[in-house]
Amino acid sequence: MRFLEIILVVVNFGLLYWVFIRRKKASTNIVSLWPLAVGYFMVIVQMVAEGVSWRMIPAYLTPVLLTAYLYVKRKNIKPRKWYVLTIQTVLLTVYLAITIIPPIVMPVFSFEKPTGIHSVGTVSYHWTDEKRKETFGIDPEAKRELMVQVWYPANEESEKRTNQYMRDVPEKEEGMAQLMGLPDFMMSHLGLVRVHSFSEGILSDRQERYPVLIFSHGNAGNRNQNTFQVEELASRGYIVVGIDHTYNAGATVFPDGRTVKYSTEDEPNTLAEFDERMSIWSEDVTFVLDQLEELDKGGEDDQFKGRLDLEKIGMFGHSYGGATAYRMLLQDDRVKAAINMDGSLFGGPVPEKSVQKPLFLMYSASSLDVDRFEADLDEITPEEILKQTGRNREALEKDFYDLMSRYEKVVTSGALSLVIPNSNHTSFTDLNLYSPLMRAKGEDTVQIHLLVNEFTLAFFDQYLRGTDDNVLKQLGAKYPEVHFQSK
């Protein structure tokens, strides 16, 4: 809960308990008005200073309850029995619980401040690949359109008010809520979350050119889902380019107002289908790399002219985006190093010489837990497995063990790896900040984000900037619990 949210609840419920226990009589005496004045004042202050949120509706109603209790006409107030007082206190306590649960379960969270020397600017682009037709949608002649956001080191003197967490907040909130099976309004509080980057910043003149990192979200995610990571990297002197993979992102909003939500059309279910989908995502990244070359020539935005170090390009991604980063490392010479965060290695069989360039695999312990996978299947009947997945147990096991085999082959071929305990699939994103209910047992999301950022920065610094190659090993010693494995 935010500071004023806490103060609002403490003050107003303190007043409620005080008034109920004292059984204050209805009165027009100005002195009796002060509890109401304080109650309404606290609601107004919180709304104005921190913003109105559905999560606080029960708290906003506390002065209304005070009004009803104090000023409903009553002729005689008889002494209460002890059990009546007990029941009233219990009911009020239940109401208090109902009040504090929503803001605790769905907090308006804050991002840790980036630690680099640069402020962080951001700008978005709408790019259309005229060479490709859109695979999804109803228009057979439509071209593939992408929304791309760039985070970059900015001069401090250009800093303005920081942005909302997500651009086009209502549309993305609705898309995210629908994917999570929640009513649309339940994600509206994300509009109150602010980030440390700002629009219209001037690219920092501390360096002539900056290395470039491409970010690819997970299936049904979005380009903003790893804000904790992209802002930190930009503050450390990287230009980070996030892609919304249209129709596979939770929601993509174009400048003309069109909103494209996640498409369930031909949604992959088998390993073969996920392998096939990889061609669309990798072609998206190839197109964005081509556009960055044009941007460096001065197209569309002069401030990036001659400022992108296209000889030092890395890529990182989460889940399916992590698999895309791995595939781009294999197939595009422009990508010099890549990080796959908890992504199965989709895209086809692993080549015999699978790791010829620097690759870093970051995984949650749960994603590699074979025993847990088998135990989960053992808990449900074959009929339920078929009903839930459309496939039998043998098919699920074959795909799982094929993916595990790919992982083991890549690791033994020389990839760096770490496995984070007390984490889950979404620990590598902002999503576990959304609610403690999303976190693994014993998870410290802020601490996980910290170590992910440290390892990410050390990896790209070493393989794109040529800095100290001992930093990664030092981090492995600093965080022995993550089981870091280097070459």
Side-chain angles (χ1 to χ4, degrees):
M1 294 177 66
R2 294 175 293 175
F3 177 73
L4 288 179
E5 290 177 346
I6 295 172
I7 297 299
L8 170 60
V9 170
V10 169
V11 171
N12 280 9
F13 271 89
L15 290 171
L16 277 174
Y17 278 103
W18 178 76
V19 168
F20 266 71
I21 291 171
R22 286 194 59 186
R23 298 198 81 196
K24 188 77 173 177
K25 293 183 179 182
S27 172
T28 57
N29 191 313
I30 192 67
V31 177
S32 69
L33 295 177
W34 76 263
L36 291 181
V38 172
Y40 284 107
F41 175 76
M42 288 306 307
V43 169
I44 293 170
V45 168
Q46 191 280 323
M47 285 180 168
V48 172
E50 294 182 332
V52 180
S53 172
W54 69 268
R55 303 147 44 260
M56 296 298 294
I57 289 176
Y60 297 153
L61 294 176
T62 52
V64 178
L65 185 58
L66 271 172
T67 303
Y69 188 80
L70 286 173
Y71 292 98
V72 170
K73 294 182 178 179
R74 292 170 293 164
K75 294 182 179 179
N76 297 309
I77 299 179
K78 298 179 180 180
R80 286 174 296 186
K81 302 291 185 181
W82 67 268
Y83 58 84
V84 175
L85 177 61
T86 300
I87 292 172
Q88 290 177 336
T89 303
V90 169
L91 290 175
L92 193 56
T93 303
V94 170
Y95 183 52
L96 173 60
I98 293 172
T99 299
I100 64 175
I101 286 173
I104 290 176
V105 172
M106 305 293 279
V108 177
F109 58 88
S110 299
F111 288 102
E112 297 294 306
K113 185 176 180 179
T115 63
I117 62 174
H118 300 279
S119 296
V120 180
T122 188
V123 62
S124 296
Y125 299 108
H126 172 211
W127 288 336
T128 302
D129 188 349
E130 298 292 346
K131 298 178 181 179
R132 279 196 298 159
K133 288 187 177 181
E134 179 55 71
T135 307
F136 305 95
I138 60 176
D139 184 358
E141 300 302 318
K143 301 298 182 181
R144 181 69 169 167
E145 296 178 75
L146 298 175
M147 287 302 300
V148 173
Q149 187 167 348
V150 180
W151 293 264
Y152 55 89
N155 288 332
E156 291 183 8
E157 58 268 22
S158 66
E159 187 167 350
K160 298 184 179 181
R161 179 171 168 77
T162 55
N163 290 332
Q164 287 179 294
Y165 173 40
M166 293 182 181
R167 304 285 185 90
D168 313 302
V169 172
E171 294 82 359
K172 288 194 174 181
E173 289 167 352
E174 291 173 9
M176 189 173 299
Q178 291 170 14
L179 289 169
M180 297 176 71
L182 300 172
D184 290 351
F185 74 88
M186 289 195 70
M187 285 294 173
S188 62
H189 65 288
L190 293 180
L192 300 174
V193 177
R194 302 203 71 83
V195 295
H196 296 284
S197 56
F198 54 92
S199 301
E200 302 177 12
I202 300 172
L203 182 63
S204 173
D205 52 10
R206 288 176 183 268
Q207 295 177 213
E208 182 178 351
R209 287 180 177 269
Y210 291 94
V212 177
L213 301 175
I214 308 296
F215 172 70
S216 180
H217 61 73
N219 196 40
N222 59 75
R223 67 183 189 264
N224 305 95
Q225 69 167 54
N226 279 54
T227 293
F228 84 92
Q229 191 175 26
V230 298
E231 289 192 337
E232 173 67 14
L233 289 166
S235 80
R236 293 299 195 102
Y238 287 93
I239 291 176
V240 186
V241 183
I243 306 169
D244 269 350
H245 295 279
T246 313
Y247 288 99
N248 300 147
T252 302
V253 183
F254 295 108
D256 61 5
R258 286 176 297 136
T259 299
V260 176
K261 294 186 178 179
Y262 179 78
S263 173
T264 57
E265 176 187 350
D266 299 325
E267 190 170 19
N269 189 37
T270 67
L271 175 56
E273 291 169 348
F274 275 106
D275 283 346
E276 184 179 359
R277 175 68 58 88
M278 183 56 63
S279 62
I280 298 174
W281 286 45
S282 59
E283 287 173 6
D284 285 348
V285 179
T286 298
F287 169 66
V288 168
L289 289 172
D290 293 341
Q291 291 298 107
L292 291 176
E293 291 178 351
E294 295 302 312
L295 197 62
D296 189 60
K297 294 176 184 177
E300 193 163 357
D301 196 333
D302 285 341
Q303 77 165 331
F304 292 110
K305 183 176 181 180
R307 306 298 302 278
L308 307 179
D309 193 341
L310 299 178
E311 296 301 315
K312 297 177 180 178
I313 297 178
M315 184 170 176
F316 64 109
H318 169 251
S319 192
Y320 203 75
T324 306
Y326 166 64
R327 283 291 156 181
M328 290 303 298
L329 188 70
L330 293 180
Q331 67 188 46
D332 197 312
D333 291 338
R334 291 174 291 186
V335 179
K336 302 299 192 296
I339 297 177
N340 176 350
M341 295 181 291
D342 217 49
S344 298
L345 298 176
F346 297 117
V350 174
E352 286 302 318
K353 295 183 178 180
S354 61
V355 181
Q356 300 298 304
K357 292 184 284 187
L359 173 66
F360 196 174
L361 304 178
M362 298 182 181
Y363 277 80
S364 65
S366 60
S367 296
L368 301 177
D369 192 339
V370 176
D371 292 337
R372 177 179 173 180
F373 171 76
E374 292 289 352
D376 288 344
L377 291 181
D378 287 339
E379 290 180 358
I380 54 179
T381 64
E383 292 76 19
E384 282 298 315
I385 293 175
L386 185 63
K387 182 179 179 181
Q388 292 179 21
T389 68
R391 310 176 68 206
N392 60 37
R393 175 168 180 156
E394 291 72 22
L396 292 176
E397 289 179 328
K398 183 180 184 304
D399 280 359
F400 178 79
Y401 286 110
D402 282 351
L403 287 171
M404 290 299 297
S405 176
R406 293 181 186 182
Y407 167 78
E408 292 168 1
K409 185 173 183 179
V410 170
V411 170
T412 56
S413 296
L416 285 72
S417 67
L418 65 79
V419 180
I420 303 178
N422 301 322
S423 65
N424 59 26
H425 187 56
T426 50
S427 299
F428 297 88
T429 72
D430 303 335
L431 270 67
N432 284 15
L433 294 172
Y434 293 6
S435 173
L437 298 180
M438 300 186 67
R439 299 168 194 166
K441 184 178 180 180
E443 175 179 339
D444 183 340
T445 303
V446 173
Q447 178 65 19
I448 289 176
H449 286 176
L450 172 65
L451 70 88
V452 166
N453 279 344
E454 288 191 53
F455 275 102
T456 299
L457 184 66
F459 175 78
F460 285 128
D461 278 353
Q462 178 175 333
Y463 292 106
L464 296 184
R465 286 173 161 161
T467 57
D468 189 353
D469 60 0
N470 288 320
V471 175
L472 281 169
K473 294 179 180 179
Q474 291 169 0
L475 287 174
K478 179 181 178 181
Y479 300 108
E481 70 276 11
V482 301
H483 311 296
F484 174 66
Q485 178 180 320
S486 61
K487 296 181 180 179

